[in-house]
Amino acid sequence: MQVDELLKPFPIKEFHPFPRGLLGPGSHELIGPEALKLGFKKTLIMTSGLRGSDIVHKISESMKYHGIDVVIYDKVESNPKDYNVMDAVGLYQQNDCDSFVSIGGGSSHDACNVNEFEGFNKSENPKNPPHIAVSTTAGTGSETSWAYVITDTTTDPDNPHKYVAFDDASVTTLAIDDPVLYYSCPIDYTAQCGFDVLAHASEPYVSRLNFQTSLGNALHAIKLTAENLRTAVWNPQELSGREGMMYAQYIAAQAFNSGGLGIIHSISHAVSAFYDTHHGLNNAVALPRVWAFNMPVAYKRFADIARAMGIDTHGMTDVQAAEAALAASIRLLRDVGIPERFVDVTQDSYSKNRLGQGPTKFYENAKEIKGDGPDVDRITNHVLGDACTPGNAKECTFETVRPVVEHCMTGDLDDLLT
């Protein structure tokens, strides 16, 4: 059933499954025995390559030690592309693999989904091959959710499409979250992934789905992010910050898994479809604008978010507390050094922002984010077609969403506070 169908006729909500998980320092060292228990004999490791670290080598050698043959596909791109998925499928089939191990962030995990693509529970197969997902970032949640996102490069280069799929068949078999693996994560990537967590947590908390089983997890993930992200970014070898963000991202994913998302994610998907910018960065830029957009229909919920972020709201009205939450989100964004507008994002903002790059003509016109009228229009149209949009707290139309997108492009965040 589509999300918009769930929202309208009756109050039945669907609770989607989680995989088994191993969380905590050293958990990645159990991958060999765990793969054996799951019956792995020849596995395809999906990764971006994780250049500059030995994580892939250590995990592959552990699996070989336990008698499991390994084939490595290390060409997964940020914002995984359809051709990444299909190339990996070809390698999987050519080598008679029986399982997946994904190592990295959401891109590596999502690219393992070899069933049907866009839509809700569209898979023709009842389930994917067994899959162990090892996260090396604190942000994605893909290791424990039923959602995955793929960029379609076969569409018109002037109207690219990044689609969201939700499928119970895509849930991994085992999730491994080890904060020790986060130590090599760069500062700016850590910050951007952290805002992915804040988006994952805040959107289900204010979603029109209002799924009660998600609300506690959402609020606690917001609290953990507010308490730990600055430490994870600026003192990256401090275990407490890395472990706090590990739990925050895992819990936030369990919140949105059934509680839904909104147009923070829809805007992020649209911008990365056109410009291949990093998903967490996109979420960070969009989040304060979307919070301001949604506040009129969810002041009480945003007042709760303020308290979760450590704000003393005694003596404040719900409106005042909600505005304090917005100010806290902007303060956090600035404290961890994230660009505040999309037009400020350049190739040098972070190496995963691939402006004007890529192996297809799809990216030739994406050397800089224009932010002009036509750019705002086409991104707004992409937002309105995104699968996350129906769950947004406030009803979305072209006329209401376009100013939000435009502000993300060129607006001053201080304007939201006046």
Side-chain angles (χ1 to χ4, degrees):
M1 180 171 285
Q2 301 291 319
V3 169
D4 54 352
E5 293 173 343
L6 281 171
L7 294 173
K8 294 175 182 176
F10 48 81
I12 295 176
K13 313 290 196 304
E14 183 174 0
F15 187 86
H16 298 282
F18 304 134
R20 175 170 166 255
L22 296 174
L23 289 81
S27 57
H28 78 280
E29 297 179 0
L30 299 174
I31 191 168
E34 290 294 335
L36 275 182
K37 286 197 301 184
L38 291 170
F40 287 23
K41 291 183 173 58
K42 191 170 190 179
T43 196
L44 179 65
I45 291 180
M46 296 279 284
T47 182
S48 63
L50 291 170
R51 294 169 184 82
S53 79
D54 65 349
I55 294 171
V56 174
H57 175 74
K58 286 179 61 178
I59 290 175
S60 63
E61 289 302 307
S62 174
M63 298 188 74
K64 291 175 186 177
Y65 177 82
H66 287 86
I68 300 166
D69 290 333
V70 169
V71 178
I72 297 177
Y73 178 82
D74 65 355
K75 296 180 175 60
V76 178
E77 299 173 21
S78 182
N79 303 307
K81 314 302 185 293
D82 46 8
Y83 54 79
N84 294 150
V85 179
M86 301 316 296
D87 288 348
V89 170
L91 192 61
Y92 184 97
Q93 293 171 336
Q94 292 164 18
N95 289 276
D96 296 321
C97 295
D98 58 16
S99 52
F100 286 106
V101 170
S102 55
I103 306 171
S107 297
S108 296
H109 304 332
D110 286 0
C112 288
N113 292 296
V114 298
N115 266 320
E116 294 301 311
F117 287 159
E118 186 171 13
F120 290 80
N121 285 320
K122 297 291 188 181
S123 296
E124 295 180 355
N125 300 319
K127 64 178 182 178
N128 273 342
H131 176 189
I132 298 176
V134 184
S135 290
T136 61
T137 66
T140 171
S142 292
E143 80 281 10
T144 192
S145 80
W146 72 314
Y148 56 99
V149 189
I150 305 291
T151 299
D152 178 3
T153 63
T154 66
T155 50
D156 181 349
D158 294 326
N159 190 30
H161 183 50
K162 185 173 184 180
Y163 61 77
V164 188
F166 298 88
D167 205 310
D168 290 329
S170 74
V171 176
T172 66
T173 313
L174 174 66
I176 295 180
D177 285 281
D178 187 338
V180 173
L181 300 183
Y182 305 164
Y183 285 155
S184 58
C185 191
I187 287 173
D188 41 10
Y189 194 25
T190 297
Q192 294 169 20
C193 290
F195 263 82
D196 196 12
V197 178
L198 192 58
H200 286 163
S202 62
E203 292 207 284
Y205 195 69
V206 302
S207 168
R208 71 176 74 184
L209 280 170
N210 192 30
F211 198 12
Q212 299 297 305
T213 61
S214 295
L215 301 183
N217 278 350
L219 208 58
H220 190 57
I222 292 168
K223 178 177 184 292
L224 287 172
T225 303
E227 291 174 347
N228 291 287
L229 182 57
R230 292 176 177 88
T231 300
V233 171
W234 298 119
N235 191 4
Q237 303 303 308
E238 172 60 52
L239 179 61
S240 64
R242 294 296 197 181
E243 192 167 24
M245 288 308 301
M246 176 198 73
Y247 282 115
Q249 72 97 27
Y250 190 82
I251 293 167
Q254 295 193 330
F256 83 70
N257 200 50
S258 297
L261 292 167
I263 65 168
I264 296 174
H265 273 76
S266 302
I267 292 171
S268 178
H269 297 154
V271 174
S272 61
F274 284 94
Y275 293 107
D276 213 12
T277 47
H278 182 254
H279 176 65
L281 169 64
N282 296 345
N283 279 343
V285 173
L287 184 143
R289 282 87 176 186
V290 175
W291 279 20
F293 175 72
N294 283 330
M295 274 183 189
V297 299
Y299 280 123
K300 288 184 180 296
R301 291 289 169 88
F302 280 104
D304 294 339
I305 289 173
R307 287 183 280 272
M309 295 185 77
I311 297 166
D312 183 356
T313 62
H314 290 93
M316 293 185 186
T317 65
D318 287 336
V319 173
Q320 290 169 330
E323 290 173 344
L326 176 60
S329 74
I330 295 172
R331 180 74 271 158
L332 180 60
L333 182 146
R334 289 172 171 169
D335 283 351
V336 297
I338 294 177
E340 298 184 16
R341 308 178 303 168
F342 282 125
V343 293
D344 296 331
V345 176
T346 66
Q347 177 60 38
D348 296 330
S349 297
Y350 181 61
S351 59
K352 285 188 176 291
N353 297 323
R354 296 162 48 85
L355 295 174
Q357 298 186 12
T360 72
K361 289 184 177 296
F362 185 80
Y363 300 106
E364 285 185 358
N365 297 321
K367 296 179 180 178
E368 64 176 341
I369 298 179
K370 301 180 181 70
D372 57 13
D375 206 18
V376 172
D377 287 346
R378 58 178 173 258
I379 288 171
T380 302
N381 283 321
H382 194 295
V383 168
L384 295 176
D386 191 275
C388 294
T389 297
N392 193 69
K394 185 177 176 182
E395 184 69 23
C396 295
T397 66
F398 185 88
E399 290 72 24
T400 60
V401 172
R402 190 186 187 283
V404 180
V405 173
E406 185 174 32
H407 200 281
C408 290
M409 288 291 171
T410 59
D412 187 335
L413 283 178
D414 289 329
D415 293 343
L416 303 177
L417 302 176
T418 57

